[in-house]
Structures are given as structure tokens and as C-alpha cells.
Amino acid sequence: MKAWLSKLNADLSFSPASAAELARSELSGAFPDLSFHVTTDPDLGEGYRIRREEDGSFTVKGGETGVLYGAYEMIRRAFSGGSLPDSYSSSPKYALRMINCWDNADGTVERGYSGQSLFFENGKLTYDPLRMRELGRLMASVGLNVLCINNVNVHFPAQLLLEDWLPEAAALADLFRPFGVRLMFSVDFSQPMRHGIPTADPLDPEVRNWWKKTAERVYREIPDLAGFLVKADSEGRPGPFTYGRDHSEGANMLADAVRPFGGKIVWRCFVYNCRQDWRDIGTDRPKAAWEHYAFLDGKFADNVILQIKHGPFDFQVREPLSPLLLGMKKTNMAMELQLAQEYTGHQIDLYTMIPMWKELFEELPSDRIMSLAAVSNLGRDDNYTGHPLAAVNLFTYGLLAWNPDTDAAEAVSEWIRMTYGFAAADEQALLSLLLSSRRTYEKYTAPLGIGWMVTPHDHYGPNPSGYEYDLWGTYHKANRDAVGIDRTENGTGYLLQYPAALQEKYRNPETCPDLYLLFYHRLPYSFRMKDGRTLIQRIYDDHFEGYEETEKMAETIRSLPFPDPDKEVILSRMDRQLYNAKEWCDIINTFFRRLSGADDEHGRKIWD
Amino acid sequence: MKAWLSKLNADLSFSPASAAELARSELSGAFPDLSFHVTTDPDLGEGYRIRREEDGSFTVKGGETGVLYGAYEMIRRAFSGGSLPDSYSSSPKYALRMINCWDNADGTVERGYSGQSLFFENGKLTYDPLRMRELGRLMASVGLNVLCINNVNVHFPAQLLLEDWLPEAAALADLFRPFGVRLMFSVDFSQPMRHGIPTADPLDPEVRNWWKKTAERVYREIPDLAGFLVKADSEGRPGPFTYGRDHSEGANMLADAVRPFGGKIVWRCFVYNCRQDWRDIGTDRPKAAWEHYAFLDGKFADNVILQIKHGPFDFQVREPLSPLLLGMKKTNMAMELQLAQEYTGHQIDLYTMIPMWKELFEELPSDRIMSLAAVSNLGRDDNYTGHPLAAVNLFTYGLLAWNPDTDAAEAVSEWIRMTYGFAAADEQALLSLLLSSRRTYEKYTAPLGIGWMVTPHDHYGPNPSGYEYDLWGTYHKANRDAVGIDRTENGTGYLLQYPAALQEKYRNPETCPDLYLLFYHRLPYSFRMKDGRTLIQRIYDDHFEGYEETEKMAETIRSLPFPDPDKEVILSRMDRQLYNAKEWCDIINTFFRRLSGADDEHGRKIWD
């Protein structure tokens, strides 16, 4: 077994008939000297209760899948060096705890850094059943319960999941079911047109009927399918706009089709003008999601969930909370995170995400959303996540989706203990390295919330003007005097999409938190930061610090007793991160020095 | 028939047995009312004599292929509206007048903008014999006599040209022979290693023997093969450096192999460090060719020809003459031009090259070189050159390779007359448009010799910092005060590679010709040009003018009576050029305004 369950020796060669059977098998494998009573009570749903009996045995009582989560709670506690509880109960905060795989039918993974797809190869749905059970176990062990296996950009022939491939897809669903994992499919909004219907207009009776019949057929084969995931009218995908319909009309039509079967429509809100002209300053991309959705609040069916990226751009290292997550009070919402390190180091650079996620919840009351989704970092690599230490993101995401009050340090510690079982000093060293890795990455990459100074398309490595004259709406407009975009009411007005308290927090550059400064404000290089440094000096300092921290990180990494084969992967990727951090530091500092003319106050080398 | 021979109705469905037979057929097809005596005299080589006899018939006497060139001289004269001569003789200045195709065995063409390869498809040598004869006729009609059919970057399986594909290659050579066109092959320096030899060391007896036997086998099948073209130790290609040998040892080894058969080794001098770090200011890429070759002058065998790009970089819109072309006095040299519009508009933007070539010959005495080569702009598109007006470059290249004293305007006029036969005013309008097209392109793209402000890799469209932090040695280092590289003795010293007179011409920024200013000098934006303008104002002015000229060009183009199907292609590409010119103008001006802070003196719009 792989990742944080490497110590679990329980048999996984069989197909368990139910979650309860699996729970019994896992517990007896993990604790051969203990005895367990695993009983199900449908009323408990995904929740569970654990009790130590007087005879030393344990009772684990839970809903159909709840017993499984109870079992893994015990396993995680024991394998992370804790003691088993006398009494403990828990149930998840969010009903849907989703993984979105961006896997294509040809076997590639969009923004995948862990090898080829686990589910597809050469235009076919094809998989290794043992790896599927391993994956189900990893997901269940941290409470994740929905797996969307295909890319939201539905390229042909992935549409066949609802057609010719349905029997194989149903077999896959059968495989995952005992792990409490339900499948979801990304669907192509124009799919009826593959079947002779001349339109995909959501109000067209023939279209509605096609989706209704399709849902019937799909749910006959996979009765517990979680639903459909839809990327519509975004980056070239088809959607209701083509027919003069709005997104509630599009989503609700699909919602009607899956409602009889308890299905959900998860509708992504990643809609913006991806053909913006760089000369067009009237358009500000972060405003787009709000502009497309806020006015529809209350119009979505009760089984529609709007899936909203955590920030208004696209998974940059630093973005404010999407205002849409605070604005839609009468709509079911999921917050979308990204485990795949698209802009955050490609699973070469270390980047532990939970500190960032916790920051989001500081502004987002956890009750405002009803579910969490995360873009997968999984692939066919032997270790599943490309970089062994990237598994911490999948692990902690699971814990957070179960309970958003999860403490970041505790979750990461638990992962380290389960995965490596280091001595205390080493554990502490790795813990602080992982917890600080995002700040370090942030320091050596784009400064103070500006984002996007990345190599276009590939999204690894620096290119400070790479998106500056492009069509994507992601500009910093740095010139010899100033940098950043004014998003207050004096500028693009984006800030006005927030509640008053948040407007207040960010409005004034003198009081705006430093790390969001250039996201909200355009400021001269001579601007005095709260600590007295100039903006330009702060940019230089951050970049030098980011690289220095990476050097220290490399020392720590080299000193830790990672086992093989992790060790080799970790060390070689650490060398690549060092190279990358140096490139970022040198190029961004040179870029700003060429513009500003300012020397570093501490006389460090900035290239001409 | 296509391109400038569209009016020639002579039969091309047969395979002529000889150039003389072809000459007779072409003449009687072109001039059905005249009679001709075509006689060969081997002493005349590629030369010919034309005489009008008293009975009104014509005698065309020439060497084996000379008669053909005589015939096409008559055809070109007549089809461009001239009268046939009473007496005329000519012979070519350069023995080898070469086309280098960068065609890959998979059918793609590296830097090809005219469709797929004419010679290869799906990893096989395969072609349409009629199109081969058409191509042979086009080449012969302007005196071109060598065709290298495969890419200098020899990717597998193109090596098979010397192996399994030899019989088909020989059949292709047979097809071209009556057109006076001899084939050439690009070879892989490491090719012996495909045959169990553990090295490609040019001094290794087994390697030398392998090439000797290979040459014997190849020349047995294709006795008039022009020779081998070699790109060695460049951009990842194998070469003698691997074995601690120099390029004369590499080239001479191959020269020994082909010498018995009269073959040549054409050895490209495009060698530089393509992994230069942008922080490394001790290396200046334009110096590389000189540094790699000048010290070897006199060491190359007499059947080796060094093929040297016309400029020290790589086919930018404006480069000085390569100093190596002036420096190697005891070495056979060919100057390499590029018909493919890699950096010069992808055969979308109009770019007539002969004015640029004529400028090169102002500094290069035509006797210093013994041959010309040009990277092909040919492909499988119906019109051969993608853009119908790009054919003017192939046509005028042929005339220039025959006679470097060819007048640019006369050559372009001749091409217009042959191709379109416009009325005088239209002809004049198209002529001045084509002759000015390069200056226009230069104005709206990179300023004053700086080059390289192009989208990396693709090389179409603007990206002012695209190569700035990269590995290719092509930096402008623009900052808030200044732009350009000092290549005088105070800077990188590149200028010292030239003879004294040229050093003098370019050394002083006050007297250096404007168009080369930023190639040789690093100057502040406030620098006063000879006409009193500041450098920054001149950059703005050029870019605005370039776009305005493109707008006028579009008006002219739209007014001209191009026939179908040319018209549609020309008009649609003109629209794309207009878009491209606008992007260049706006982005480059914005880039420099962000840096310099200078406003346009005439108040024209420069975006923030």
C-alpha cells in the first residue's frame, strides 16, 4: 500500500461486498490483537460512534459508510502514534467531499503532474482494479466520498461515459462503492447534439427529454452516481449562452433530469472572457464570476450546487476569497480547491496547502457552503501524487472537508507520523518545513498578491510579462513608476463585490494586509509598507528570502531519513526546486530593477 | 502550372530524357510560331548563347544544362513583356545555387508555412511526380540547381535516405536531372553508430571507412548528387566536438568520402552555445560563428564549403553581415539566406527579401563566396509558397544566385509581369509595395536592429521580453534608461571581428547607420538621432509608421486585380498582417513607454 497507509497490511486483494465488511477487514488487519463489533445504523448516515467496551473490545457503530470512517479514524489514530479513544463520535460537516480528476480519455491528465490517468488509456476507460481499491481506501481513510473521473473539459470520446462505456463505468462504481466513494461524471452540455438533436438549448423539449432518458439509463446502471459536473460557457466549452439562456436555465434543466435519482448537478462558475484584449481596461477578470452568477441567486434548483473557485482568478499562490462565496445566500455552493500544483510548483516544488485553506475559512463562515471540491493531484505514478510529499495535500484536504475546523499543524503532523514515523525532532523539522512551504513559494514567485508572473500555458517558472499582452485578463501593468491594479471604487470596482467589512479591510493601501496589497492597489515603488520598507525593497527582500528559505529547506530535506523510493524522488525534485527558486528570484528582481532603477539596500546581487 | 510560370502551357506530363529535350519542349510550347535550334556544347557548362538567325529562328547553344537556362531566359523575357534578344549570352556567377528544404520524414516542415512536405509523408519518402517536375521547372526557370530535400536537423528515419530509401531517392534524382537540379542530402554526423560502430569520431578508421563505403553506394545510385549538407555540434546535433575533434577534421573526413565522385560537403556554421544563461554577459552569441571557425581558415578540404548565415544571429529582419563571410580568405564559402519567413511574417505578412539581400552585397564582395544557399519556402500548398506573393522571394533568389548584380526592382518587376501581367499602374503599385514591404515589417516589429522581440519558439507576433531571460543569447536588456548591447571594443568586442572600414562605419553611435544602432550600441532613450529625434521618439515613430504603411498596403492590395484563387488568400492574409502589425505597434510602444515614461511627442495613443 502507498502514501500514508503504507503501514496498513490489511488484505486488499478481495472486493468487499459492503463498507461494513471492509471496515471489519481493515480493523482486524490493523489491530490483529483487538476485537471489534462493527454494526450499522442507517440513521447515522456517514457519522459513527466508537466505544471501548469493558472487555477491551471496541464497538464501531455507524451509517452504511459511517462504520468505515469510524474504522479509519481508529487506524489513523493508532498509526499516527495516538491512543485509541474510550468514546468518540463524529460526522462530516459537508455532505459531498469531492475529488475532480481532469483526466482525458487519451490517458493524459490536464494539469497532471503524477503521470498518466488512473482511469483512461488510449481513448478507453481502463484501469487496474487493485489500484482502484487502493485509491478508494486512501479516499475513505480521510473521508472523501465523491470521485469525478473525467476532465471538466470533456473532449471526445469521454462523452461515451454516458453511452457505450456505461457498463464499464458501472463496474468501476461497483469497485468504489464499499469504500463509500461515489462516482461523478463531467458532462458535455452539447451532448444531445451527438444524437441527432439539432440544438442543446436547455428549454428545448427534445433536449430536456434526451437528458431525462440519459439520466434514467445512467442511474439504472449506477444508482448512487453523485451526479454530473459541468463546465459551461467557459474557455470554449458549450453552454446555455449559445441559446440565449442563462446558467440557471442550463443547470436546472440538468437538475430536473437527475432529481428522480437523488443526483446533483455541480455547476462550475469559472466563467469569464478568455479573449479579453490587454488594451481593454474596462474589463477586470476577477469581477467575472460575480457578474455572471450573483444576479441568479435563488434561481437554481435545490439539487444544483454552484462550484466556485476559492479565488476570483485561478488558483494563484495568493488570491482573496471569491466574493461570490459570500454573495449567494440562496444558492447551494461548493468551494473549489486545487490539489494539482498547476501554478504552485508542479509537484516539483514543495507546497503544502492547508495553511492557505485555513486562511480562506477565516473569511468564509463554514456554513456558507455545503460542500468542498478539489482538483485531483492523482496519477498513475507509483506514489500516486508524483512528489511523495504532495500526498499531504490530499490527506489534509480530506480531513478539512470532513471538519473545516481541523487544525493545520495537527493534520500535517498526523500525515507525517502515518507516512514516515520519524523521531520527534525530524518530525518537527518536516512539519515546520511543510507548513512554511507555501509562504516560501509565494516569496520567490510573484510579489504581494500580483500573481501570474509565470510561464504562459505551462505555468511553471518565471515570466514576468508572459501574460501581460495576452488575452487572459491577468495583467500587472508594471511600469517604471508603479505596479498593480487598483480594484477599489477608484479603479475597477471589484472590491465593491464584498460585504462592507471586507471592503474596509482591503480598501486603504495603508491598512490593507501586505500580502494582498498589489492585488487591490496600484502603488509606486516608493510606497512605504507598514514596516517602513519601500515597496520595491520589500519585493527584493521577499525574493531573496524566498530563495534563502529554499536553500535551508533543501538542507533540512537532505538531513531527513526518508525511506526509499521516496528519498530519491524527494531529493531530485528538491534540486529542481532550488533551480526554479533561483530563476524566480533573479528574474523577478531583475525585472523590477530594470523598471524601477532601484538598487537593493543591502547590496545583494541583482542582475542587469 | 503554378506561380510565375502560370502562362506556360508546354506539356509537363512526360519525363524528358535530357535538359536539351526539355528545352526544346519548353520553347516550342511557349513559342509555337517560332523555330529553335537547341544544341549542346559541353564546354559551355551551365552557360548559354542565344542568337537570332536571319530566317527568324533562334539558336540556343549551351552546356548540358546551359541550353535549359537559355530557353528559360527567352521564356522569362517573353512572358514578362520583353522582346527576344538578337544575341545574348550568360553564365552563372555561382556554381551551386541551392535550396535547403527543412522537411522532416514525418511530412512536417520545420519553419514551413506552405503546408506539408513535398517529399515526405508518414515517415516515408513519397511524392507526386508531376509536382516534382513542376518544382524542377520553377527552379530551372530561375537557374537554381541544387535541392537538399531533408531537414538539416536529421531526425530518424531521414537517415534512411542513405540506406533503405536510396533506390527511391535515386528515382527522385532521375526526375529532377533534366531540370538541371541535383539532389543533396542532409546527413547525420553520428550515422555510422546506427550500424554497430561505437563512435562517430572523424579520425576513427572504421568511421572513415563507413562513410567511404556509404558514399560509394550512394554515388553508384545517384552519380550527380551534389553532396552532403551537415549541421554539426549545433542545437543538440551530433558533431566532431564529442570526440575532441575540430570542425575541419569533421568536414574533411566527409569530404574525403565524396571527393572521388565530385561531391561537396556543405558544412553549416550555425554553431553557438544554445544553453547560455541570461546572466552570463561574458558570452555574446553573434561572436560565436567567428570564434568557432575563423581560426580554421585554410584547413578545410577543397571540396568543403562552409555555409554561413548572412547575419551573426539567425535571420532577423535586420542584422549586419556576418563577419565570418569577410574573414575566411582561404576557405570556400556559401552565404545562407532564408526564404521561409521564420521571423519575418510566416508568409502571412508581406516581406520581399531582395532589397535586404542587395544590402548584404554592398558589404560583401560577390567573389568572396562561391555559392548561395537559401532555406526553402516551399510546401505542398497548391501555390507552393503558402502566400502567392511569397513566390517573389524564390524567383528573385534564383536570379540573384545566377547574377548577384541583378537589380532588385527589375527582378521584382519581372516576377510581377510573369505572374500577373497587370496594367502598368497596378504593376507599379505592386512593385513599390513589395519593394518597401521589408522596411514596413521592420518598422512595426523590433526597433533599429535589436531583433528578437518575437514570440519565443513560434516566432510570429510580438513578445518584447520573450527571449530576455532565456537560454538563447538574444537579449536587449532594456531598462528604464537604455536599451541595446554595446558590441564595440568597450562592450562585447563583436565589432572587432570586422575589417577596419566596417569597424569605423559602425563604431560611433553618432555616425553608425540608424538601422543598426541598437545592434551595436547601448543607448539612453534620450539619445539624439542624426535627424534630431530622440531614440525613444524614433522607436514610437517607426512603429506608428509601420502600422500606417501596413494600412496603406492593405488598401493597395485590395485595389489590385489579383486573379482567383490567389485573391482570396492574399486578402485574408492581408487582414491577418494588419492585425499583427497593430499588435506589434501597440505592444512594442507600450513596452518602451512603460520603461521610459516618455510620451509620444505627437500625442498618438500609446496604451498604459
Side-chain angles (χ1 to χ4, degrees), chain B residues 26-40:
Chain B
E26 296 288 74
L27 286 168
S28 65
F31 307 103
D33 302 331
L34 296 177
S35 71
F36 296 90
H37 315 280
V38 173
T39 60
T40 54

Side-chain angles (χ1 to χ4, degrees), chain B residues 109-363:
Chain B
V109 179
E110 186 168 326
R111 309 304 177 187
Y113 314 106
S114 308
Q116 294 289 100
S117 170
L118 285 159
F119 315 112
F120 301 99
E121 195 175 327
N122 294 327
K124 297 221 184 319
L125 177 65
T126 178
Y127 51 83
D128 172 354
L130 180 61
R131 290 209 89 175
M132 294 300 103
R133 290 196 293 272
E134 283 190 359
L135 174 57
R137 176 190 260 174
L138 284 173
M139 287 182 66
S141 76
V142 291
L144 296 169
N145 68 352
V146 176
L147 180 66
C148 185
I149 59 172
N150 66 312
N151 191 354
V152 292
N153 294 315
V154 183
H155 307 295
F156 185 79
Q159 289 89 345
L160 298 181
L161 280 169
L162 308 187
E163 305 175 9
D164 298 0
W165 296 352
L166 195 49
E168 294 132 285
L172 183 61
D174 293 345
L175 249 169
F176 277 113
R177 192 168 293 111
F179 296 89
V181 172
R182 298 156 67 198
L183 293 191
M184 178 174 275
F185 299 142
S186 296
V187 301
D188 170 358
F189 194 80
S190 66
Q191 192 154 349
M193 300 175 74
R194 284 177 37 77
H195 297 271
I197 301 174
T199 174
D201 181 349
L203 301 195
D204 181 274
E206 209 178 352
V207 170
R208 300 178 69 86
N209 188 55
W210 185 88
W211 280 110
K212 191 164 168 288
K213 296 288 176 203
T214 296
E216 279 169 18
R217 194 161 30 76
V218 170
Y219 275 89
R220 192 156 51 232
E221 299 282 338
I222 311 175
D224 63 347
L225 188 80
F228 296 152
L229 176 62
V230 192
K231 176 178 181 179
D233 291 316
S234 171
E235 300 181 330
R237 294 290 99 198
F241 287 169
T242 310
Y243 311 100
R245 312 303 180 188
D246 69 32
H247 276 210
S248 68
E249 291 168 314
N252 293 349
M253 178 274 290
L254 292 172
D256 286 346
V258 299
R259 183 178 295 106
F261 317 103
K264 307 283 187 194
I265 297 303
V266 180
W267 189 270
R268 293 180 86 231
C269 296
F270 186 52
V271 177
Y272 67 100
N273 175 11
C274 68
R275 302 288 299 169
Q276 182 180 344
D277 192 297
W278 62 275
R279 285 156 290 216
D280 165 15
I281 53 166
T283 303
D284 187 21
R285 173 166 158 185
K287 295 168 73 176
W290 178 280
E291 289 169 347
H292 281 98
Y293 290 95
F295 74 101
L296 294 173
D297 192 23
K299 293 203 168 173
F300 288 95
D302 59 358
N303 62 330
V304 170
I305 301 169
L306 293 192
Q307 184 167 304
I308 301 166
K309 291 195 184 197
H310 66 75
F313 264 134
D314 187 19
F315 303 130
Q316 300 303 292
V317 61
R318 172 75 53 181
E319 294 188 40
L321 183 70
S322 171
L324 200 60
L325 286 162
L326 299 172
M328 308 233 3
K329 312 215 166 174
K330 295 174 282 184
T331 303
N332 297 322
M333 295 185 297
M335 179 160 69
E336 181 176 312
L337 310 172
Q338 189 186 40
L339 306 177
Q341 291 176 228
E342 176 176 355
Y343 297 94
T344 55
H346 283 203
Q347 283 131 256
I348 299 162
D349 298 26
L350 290 169
Y351 191 95
T352 300
M353 298 178 177
I354 190 167
M356 178 174 82
W357 300 331
K358 294 296 290 181
E359 288 172 18
L360 298 171
F361 280 109
E362 287 172 17
E363 292 188 350

Side-chain angles (χ1 to χ4, degrees), chain A residues 278-279 464 468-469 477-481 582-583 586-587 590-591 594-597 607-608, chain B residues 277-279 464 468-469 477-480 582-583 586-587 590-591 594-597 607-608:
Chain A
W278 62 274
R279 284 156 290 217
E468 200 52 21
Y469 304 103
K477 298 198 180 286
N479 68 16
R480 64 190 266 129
D481 300 316
K582 182 73 175 151
E583 285 291 292
D586 283 353
I587 290 174
T590 292
F591 173 79
R594 286 185 182 184
L595 280 167
S596 69
W607 301 86
D608 284 329
Chain B
D277 192 297
W278 62 275
R279 285 156 290 216
E468 201 52 20
Y469 304 102
K477 299 198 179 286
N479 68 16
R480 70 192 328 251
K582 182 74 175 149
E583 284 291 292
D586 284 353
I587 290 174
T590 292
F591 172 79
R594 286 184 182 184
L595 280 167
S596 70
W607 301 86
D608 285 328

Side-chain angles (χ1 to χ4, degrees), chain B residues 319-563:
Chain B
E319 294 188 40
L321 183 70
S322 171
L324 200 60
L325 286 162
L326 299 172
M328 308 233 3
K329 312 215 166 174
K330 295 174 282 184
T331 303
N332 297 322
M333 295 185 297
M335 179 160 69
E336 181 176 312
L337 310 172
Q338 189 186 40
L339 306 177
Q341 291 176 228
E342 176 176 355
Y343 297 94
T344 55
H346 283 203
Q347 283 131 256
I348 299 162
D349 298 26
L350 290 169
Y351 191 95
T352 300
M353 298 178 177
I354 190 167
M356 178 174 82
W357 300 331
K358 294 296 290 181
E359 288 172 18
L360 298 171
F361 280 109
E362 287 172 17
E363 292 188 350
L364 177 70
S366 59
D367 286 328
R368 293 300 316 279
I369 56 175
M370 58 87 74
S371 127
L372 276 182
V375 179
S376 163
N377 60 356
L378 296 161
R380 201 171 278 205
D381 279 2
D382 206 46
N383 61 26
Y384 284 101
T385 52
H387 196 306
L389 301 181
V392 71
N393 291 323
L394 182 62
F395 181 92
T396 53
Y397 166 64
L399 300 196
L400 198 81
W402 186 276
N403 173 15
D405 296 327
T406 297
D407 179 78
E410 281 174 20
V412 174
S413 292
E414 186 175 328
W415 176 82
I416 297 173
R417 289 186 197 131
M418 290 189 72
T419 307
Y420 293 122
F422 284 161
D426 288 341
E427 179 188 318
Q428 187 55 46
L430 183 56
L431 173 65
S432 51
L433 183 156
L434 293 178
L435 288 175
S436 62
S437 60
R438 181 257 191 147
R439 270 296 289 139
T440 296
Y441 186 87
E442 180 176 24
K443 283 182 182 176
Y444 65 70
T445 58
L448 304 170
I450 203 86
W452 295 109
M453 289 192 160
V454 70
T455 307
H457 316 306
D458 180 56
H459 299 164
Y460 187 80
N463 188 336
S465 296
Y467 277 115
E468 201 52 20
Y469 304 102
D470 219 322
L471 304 165
W472 302 90
T474 54
Y475 316 116
H476 54 65
K477 299 198 179 286
N479 68 16
R480 70 192 328 251
D481 301 315
V483 56
I485 305 292
D486 183 347
R487 293 197 162 95
T488 70
E489 56 267 54
N490 302 321
T492 73
Y494 163 81
L495 185 61
L496 301 176
Q497 295 180 348
Y498 285 100
L502 289 182
Q503 289 187 33
E504 206 49 49
K505 179 173 173 185
Y506 295 110
R507 176 179 289 121
N508 182 342
E510 311 292 335
T511 52
C512 175
D514 285 355
L515 296 175
Y516 296 87
L517 198 59
L518 296 178
F519 181 88
Y520 284 112
H521 300 284
R522 182 168 183 82
L523 294 171
Y525 298 115
S526 58
F527 177 81
R528 286 281 159 194
M529 310 287 289
K530 293 170 203 63
D531 63 8
R533 284 184 284 180
T534 59
L535 171 61
I536 188 69
Q537 187 57 40
R538 171 64 186 269
I539 291 173
Y540 296 157
D541 287 349
D542 270 15
H543 284 80
F544 284 121
E545 281 170 33
Y547 180 64
E548 284 158 17
E549 287 172 19
T550 308
E551 285 186 310
K552 290 203 189 78
M553 188 184 276
E555 276 175 45
T556 304
I557 285 288
R558 290 182 195 122
S559 76
L560 290 172
F562 293 109

Side-chain angles (χ1 to χ4, degrees), chain A residues 273-505:
Chain A
N273 174 10
C274 68
R275 302 288 300 171
Q276 182 180 345
D277 192 294
W278 62 274
R279 284 156 290 217
D280 166 16
I281 54 167
T283 303
D284 186 22
R285 173 167 158 185
K287 294 169 73 176
W290 179 279
E291 288 169 349
H292 281 98
Y293 291 95
F295 74 100
L296 294 173
D297 193 24
K299 295 202 168 174
F300 288 94
D302 59 359
N303 61 330
V304 170
I305 301 169
L306 293 193
Q307 184 167 305
I308 301 166
K309 291 195 184 197
H310 67 74
F313 263 134
D314 188 20
F315 302 131
Q316 300 303 292
V317 61
R318 171 76 53 182
E319 294 188 39
L321 183 70
S322 171
L324 200 60
L325 286 162
L326 299 172
M328 307 224 22
K329 311 215 165 173
K330 294 174 281 182
T331 302
N332 297 321
M333 294 185 295
M335 178 161 68
E336 181 177 313
L337 310 172
Q338 189 186 41
L339 307 177
Q341 290 175 228
E342 175 176 356
Y343 298 94
T344 54
H346 282 202
Q347 283 134 254
I348 299 163
D349 297 25
L350 291 168
Y351 191 96
T352 300
M353 298 178 176
I354 190 167
M356 178 175 82
W357 299 332
K358 294 295 291 182
E359 288 172 17
L360 298 170
F361 279 109
E362 287 171 18
E363 293 187 351
L364 177 70
S366 59
D367 286 328
R368 292 301 316 281
I369 56 175
M370 58 86 75
S371 132
L372 276 182
V375 179
S376 164
N377 60 354
L378 296 161
R380 202 172 279 206
D381 279 1
D382 205 46
N383 62 27
Y384 284 101
T385 53
H387 196 308
L389 301 181
V392 72
N393 291 323
L394 182 62
F395 181 92
T396 53
Y397 166 64
L399 299 197
L400 198 81
W402 186 276
N403 173 16
D405 295 327
T406 297
D407 179 78
E410 280 174 21
V412 174
S413 293
E414 186 175 328
W415 177 82
I416 297 173
R417 288 185 196 134
M418 290 189 73
T419 307
Y420 293 122
F422 284 160
D426 288 341
E427 178 188 317
Q428 186 55 45
L430 183 56
L431 174 65
S432 53
L433 183 156
L434 292 178
L435 287 175
S436 62
S437 60
R438 181 258 189 146
R439 269 297 288 141
T440 296
Y441 186 88
E442 179 175 26
K443 283 183 182 176
Y444 65 71
T445 58
L448 305 169
I450 202 87
W452 296 107
M453 289 193 160
V454 70
T455 306
H457 316 306
D458 180 56
H459 300 166
Y460 188 79
N463 189 338
S465 296
Y467 277 115
E468 200 52 21
Y469 304 103
D470 219 322
L471 304 165
W472 302 90
T474 54
Y475 317 116
H476 55 66
K477 298 198 180 286
N479 68 16
R480 64 190 266 129
D481 300 316
V483 56
I485 305 292
D486 183 348
R487 293 195 162 96
T488 70
E489 56 267 55
N490 302 321
T492 73
Y494 163 82
L495 185 61
L496 302 176
Q497 294 180 348
Y498 286 100
L502 289 182
Q503 290 187 34
E504 205 50 50
K505 180 174 174 184

